[in-house]
Amino acid sequence: HVLFIISVIFEYSRQSDPTYNLFLIAFYVILLVFKAWIILSLRKFWNTRIYHIQNRTPITKGPYNYIKHPNYLVVIIEIAVIPLIFNLYYTAITFTLLNAIMLFVRIKVENKVLRI
């Protein structure tokens, strides 16, 4: 996370004519609303760790009724959109690929723990 922020700042500071994209800012706000829906759907079970709680079935309300891992979908899009707002293509591509590798492993482990 820290390297992502450093990369955004570094690449932005190297631009000769820094600009931003209002459409992508609006899209990012929509992503934040979707993330809030995800967190509200999980309520007290929302966290960054992978847990298996005995005698509890996985949450299937809200966006989880339609998508297995909606939070990861939002994170994937955020990692791409935040740098693209400022036309930071190197950061967008690099961290989207690194995030994809990390999520590939994490989703495998999470599915195993949740027995999906």
Side-chain angles (χ1 to χ4, degrees):
H1 293 101
V2 173
L3 287 177
F4 175 73
I5 294 166
I6 290 169
S7 182
V8 167
I9 293 168
F10 179 75
E11 189 176 355
Y12 185 79
S13 69
R14 309 239 335 134
Q15 289 183 340
S16 59
D17 185 26
T19 61
Y20 56 90
N21 184 314
L22 285 174
F23 173 78
L24 289 177
I25 292 172
F27 182 68
Y28 182 69
V29 170
I30 292 167
L31 278 177
L32 292 177
V33 170
F34 189 60
K35 184 177 261 190
W37 185 31
I38 291 165
I39 293 168
L40 288 172
S41 297
L42 290 175
R43 297 208 181 262
K44 67 180 181 179
F45 297 109
W46 186 85
N47 65 74
T48 58
R49 297 178 185 233
I50 300 172
Y51 290 110
H52 175 71
I53 302 171
Q54 294 291 338
N55 303 319
R56 291 285 307 180
T57 58
I59 302 292
T60 57
K61 65 181 183 176
Y64 290 89
N65 192 33
Y66 309 103
I67 306 169
K68 282 185 183 178
H69 301 283
N71 192 57
Y72 297 146
L73 177 62
V74 169
V75 170
I76 290 166
I77 297 169
E78 281 177 332
I79 294 293
V81 167
I82 291 170
L84 289 176
I85 288 171
F86 304 103
N87 302 308
L88 308 177
Y89 301 108
Y90 293 114
T91 300
I93 292 167
T94 302
F95 283 89
T96 296
L97 292 173
L98 290 172
N99 186 53
I101 293 165
M102 189 275 310
L103 283 179
F104 177 78
V105 172
R106 183 175 174 93
I107 289 171
K108 246 171 107 170
V109 170
E110 189 170 311
N111 284 343
K112 185 177 179 181
V113 168
L114 296 175
R115 293 178 188 94
I116 294 178

